[in-house]
Amino acid sequence: MTAIAERPHVVIAGAGFAGLYAARSLRTAPVRVTIVDRQNHHLFQPLLYQVATAGLSAPDIASPIRGILRQQANTTVLLAEIEHVNPNHRCLVLDSGELAYDFLILATGSTPNYFGHDEWAQHAPGLKNIQDAFEIRRQVLLAFEAAEREPDTEKQRAYLTFGIVGAGPTGAELAGILREIAQHTLARDFRNFDPRSTRVVLIDAAERVLPTFPEPLSQKARVMLETLGVEIQTSSQVVDIDESGLTLTSTAPLATAPERISARTVLWAAGVKASPLAESLNTPQDEWGRVYVESDLSVPGYPELFVVGDLAHVDRDDQPVPAMAPPAIQEGRHAANVIQAVLRGHPRTSFHYKDRGMLAAIGRRAGVASIYGRSFSGLIAWFLWLVVHIASLIGFRNRLVVLFEWSWAYFTYQRSAAESPEIAYEHNE
Amino acid sequence: MTAIAERPHVVIAGAGFAGLYAARSLRTAPVRVTIVDRQNHHLFQPLLYQVATAGLSAPDIASPIRGILRQQANTTVLLAEIEHVNPNHRCLVLDSGELAYDFLILATGSTPNYFGHDEWAQHAPGLKNIQDAFEIRRQVLLAFEAAEREPDTEKQRAYLTFGIVGAGPTGAELAGILREIAQHTLARDFRNFDPRSTRVVLIDAAERVLPTFPEPLSQKARVMLETLGVEIQTSSQVVDIDESGLTLTSTAPLATAPERISARTVLWAAGVKASPLAESLNTPQDEWGRVYVESDLSVPGYPELFVVGDLAHVDRDDQPVPAMAPPAIQEGRHAANVIQAVLRGHPRTSFHYKDRGMLAAIGRRAGVASIYGRSFSGLIAWFLWLVVHIASLIGFRNRLVVLFEWSWAYFTYQRSAAESPEIAYEHNE
């Protein structure tokens, strides 16, 4: 075996699902891996909305990258901002200097897509990182506090109205949780209004909620959301957002007058666009900035450069695969496997997305799921959602063991092996 | 019973230990209570350093004030910034208007005391709220990241040196935890340095660590800290702090040349001064801004205005009682009891601090404790520390039950009564 320093250098840009799974797939490969991210943690994004709604703490879903990859001796973690890619010189330009590579896996993900209206971002925050989640949590809690102080009934109403743009899984889950919070969590916390009167309006330009799900499941999800008290405005296009609310027009054939909704809190869950880093590749991108890749996920003309995850435009049945964790994981692994094949002199293989299905939780006891073409709804779908998400958590099961032990220690006054969730998690990882 | 709106109005400024325990003592009193704070949560400050060192999550020690006081029908919670007190007009001036009172309990606490060198604050953050804890956590983690990137050995050394000013319980506990993190948590996380070589320098102008503890316990704590690898610089006065480190002079009789310590991270745990709100009372204050109060804790000349907690100068054996949770709790309760006595036409009583002792944890398995005059050290003191802190947590035991249930649900895939720590905590409170 060659010394690590002499091995081919694989640089992975981004430690989201695609980048992290690529790194793990290379753990026994005869390469030197450097994984670069501007955050020190990998984020389990599918549960980020639960941090935004105070259901989980940040450490429950954010795990230090160094900790995850600690045992992987061929891998270095670098905390740095990537300024651009220079594919012709095979290097990444970082804020702290240049980083040369033999292979690059570009997996820097996506940002919220305001479809040309970036000025809406200040009034309708999206949800991509922990800071966003804290900001949304703060805004939601402060809206209730402002309502408590507001003597004017109409203004109070605007504080107690939450608009959610985008009725995909994130939007639908957020809407359900917000109604649960209003109905149960905060029900007796205020003296000047009844939190149960909180309006949650879920908006989508498509004709139905969860538009990527099979239609019967969309219908079921709609009923579940309405049972929770969510107001649904499908076939509705957002044409304006400002600090006092949003304006909708109908996308239905029979046009009606624009509708104004007074809402002091608007959350954006209407889709993503590729991270701007893709532009520095000077290669064709689709309308949302995703890079068109070869069937092996490499960039045309640059066989050593792979683009994976939300940043890649990968077709399946003439539709791009969605910006979700499962395709990102599969793509990251595929790029790592192609690199290993190349190093062994084997042929490059084509990527095929294995679609196992999709899931959404609605509130705290219901959900819809489409697994290998079979549909489930209600408690069983919620249960599937739970199992799938738990099974996907990286290293967090250890943390939960420790939470268990730590809680138990508090109660019985017995010392367990671990005094602190964070530290003991680190030991056991 | 009179209608709540007609009852005397007790305003409590600040929902720390003093304010919160005052509010709880008034739960059955024939008064109307308004508690004002600029944060929405009560903070269990004695464990804040564990959030700063990533040992606990913020929600473990921060509990929504509304949740704690939800069942208390005579009490309203107001989120507002207090600008000043107008004792002659019996009102608080808030950012959102004026709030008139019949009785006021002023409990707005303290801020870090830089003893006339406020310019040091930017280089040596103190630890008073959740934001401070996040900032310190971020600084500490980023120092290790910077060391990983730094090729110059001497500069790397400065990143790996942590100065802690103040060797009271907070400083000693911080120092111990930082060495534990360097030795165990991060031991295998970096490729370009050995985290076990991290220097932690604990500085105090007094002759010994934990200067308020009995001397034999200070000696034991010193040995424990040195066993963990903490460097102790007692009898050392900080004369300068800047971004690259700090300068010390000896306070010992035989003066030596000033010593320079290169340290990119300096943390401040050297004492507190009263919140600036005290100034608006125009009544005598001591050198750290604390208000001299009457024996019943009221302000001279204003029998309806009480000052409690870190903001009050209360003497015991010619020494002011220390700025800690137990005296704050006792003072808050006392002020509430005096108000109830006045309303019943009973005489006002004098406050006497019941000193049960003091505790400090050193690292994760040792500590020192002085309880009712008896001294303990080692594991038994650490155990006492654990019991006392757990017993003092307000409402958090409920949360821990839920953490237990939540963890258990994850593992067994059984649903428990509670899916989310935050939400279920709210239900059970």
Side-chain angles (χ1 to χ4, degrees), chain B residues 84-101:
Chain B
H84 60 271
V85 185
N86 191 333
N88 294 317
H89 289 88
R90 293 192 183 176
C91 73
L92 280 189
V93 180
L94 310 176
D95 52 352
S96 49
E98 290 192 357
L99 185 65
Y101 61 78

Side-chain angles (χ1 to χ4, degrees), chain A residues 40 47 54-57 59 66-67 69-73 75-76 78-79 96 141-142 145 148-149 184-185 188-191 364-365 379 382-383 387 390 393 397 400-401 403-404 406-407 410-411 413 415 419-423 426-427, chain B residues 40 47 54-57 59 66-67 69-72 75-76 78-79 96 141-142 145 148-149 184-185 188-191 364-365 379 382-383 387 390 393 397 400-401 403-404 406-408 410-411 413 415 419-423 426-427:
Chain A
N40 75 332
L47 292 179
L56 289 177
S57 296
R66 292 191 187 284
L69 298 172
R70 177 182 296 144
Q71 309 286 7
Q72 200 162 315
T75 301
T76 302
L78 190 60
L79 187 75
S96 49
L141 293 173
L142 287 183
E145 295 289 345
E148 176 82 344
R149 284 195 304 268
H184 299 295
T185 316
R188 288 169 298 140
D189 275 14
F190 295 92
R191 306 286 180 248
R364 301 194 296 126
R365 275 165 184 69
L379 190 60
W382 181 87
F383 185 75
V387 173
I390 291 154
L393 280 166
R397 278 161 291 184
L400 288 165
V401 177
L403 278 182
F404 175 98
W406 180 228
S407 314
Y410 261 136
F411 277 93
Y413 302 126
R415 282 186 65 244
E419 284 93 46
S420 139
E422 297 278 334
I423 288 170
E426 302 276 347
H427 280 306
Chain B
N40 75 331
L47 292 178
L56 288 177
S57 296
R66 291 191 188 284
L69 297 173
R70 177 182 296 145
Q71 308 286 8
Q72 201 163 316
T75 301
T76 302
L78 190 61
L79 187 76
S96 49
L141 292 172
L142 287 183
E145 295 289 344
E148 176 82 345
R149 284 195 303 266
H184 299 295
T185 315
R188 289 168 298 138
D189 274 15
F190 296 92
R191 305 286 179 248
R364 299 195 297 127
R365 275 164 184 70
L379 189 61
W382 181 88
F383 185 76
V387 172
I390 291 155
L393 282 165
R397 279 162 289 186
L400 289 163
V401 176
L403 278 180
F404 175 98
W406 180 227
S407 315
W408 189 77
Y410 261 137
F411 278 94
Y413 302 126
R415 284 187 65 244
E419 286 92 46
S420 140
E422 298 277 334
I423 288 171
E426 302 275 348
H427 279 308

Side-chain angles (χ1 to χ4, degrees), chain A residues 84-96:
Chain A
H84 60 271
V85 186
N86 189 333
N88 294 316
H89 288 87
R90 293 193 183 176
C91 73
L92 279 189
V93 180
L94 310 176
D95 52 351
S96 49

Side-chain angles (χ1 to χ4, degrees), chain A residues 90-129:
Chain A
R90 293 193 183 176
C91 73
L92 279 189
V93 180
L94 310 176
D95 52 351
S96 49
E98 289 191 358
L99 186 65
Y101 60 79
D102 298 307
F103 294 94
L104 175 64
I105 299 178
L106 200 59
T108 49
S110 56
T111 59
N113 191 348
Y114 291 93
F115 303 100
H117 290 279
D118 286 349
E119 72 276 14
W120 294 349
Q122 56 178 314
H123 307 300
L127 188 56
K128 287 301 286 180
N129 58 42

Side-chain angles (χ1 to χ4, degrees), chain A residues 410-411 413, chain B residues 15-18 20-21 24 42-47 56 60-63 68 324-330 333 353 356-359 371 383-398 400 425 429:
Chain A
Y410 261 136
F411 277 93
Y413 302 126
Chain B
F17 284 106
L20 188 62
Y21 278 83
R24 285 159 68 109
H42 167 76
L43 188 65
F44 193 79
Q45 280 201 6
L47 292 178
L56 288 177
D60 297 341
I61 62 159
S63 185
I68 300 171
M324 299 196 313
I329 290 170
Q330 293 176 29
R333 285 177 172 155
Y353 174 46
R356 300 197 180 88
M358 48 187 90
L359 297 144
I371 309 280
F383 185 76
L384 282 167
W385 177 90
L386 198 73
V387 172
V388 166
H389 281 81
I390 291 155
S392 312
L393 282 165
I394 293 170
F396 296 105
R397 279 162 289 186
N398 280 332
L400 289 163
Y425 157 66
E429 169 69 9

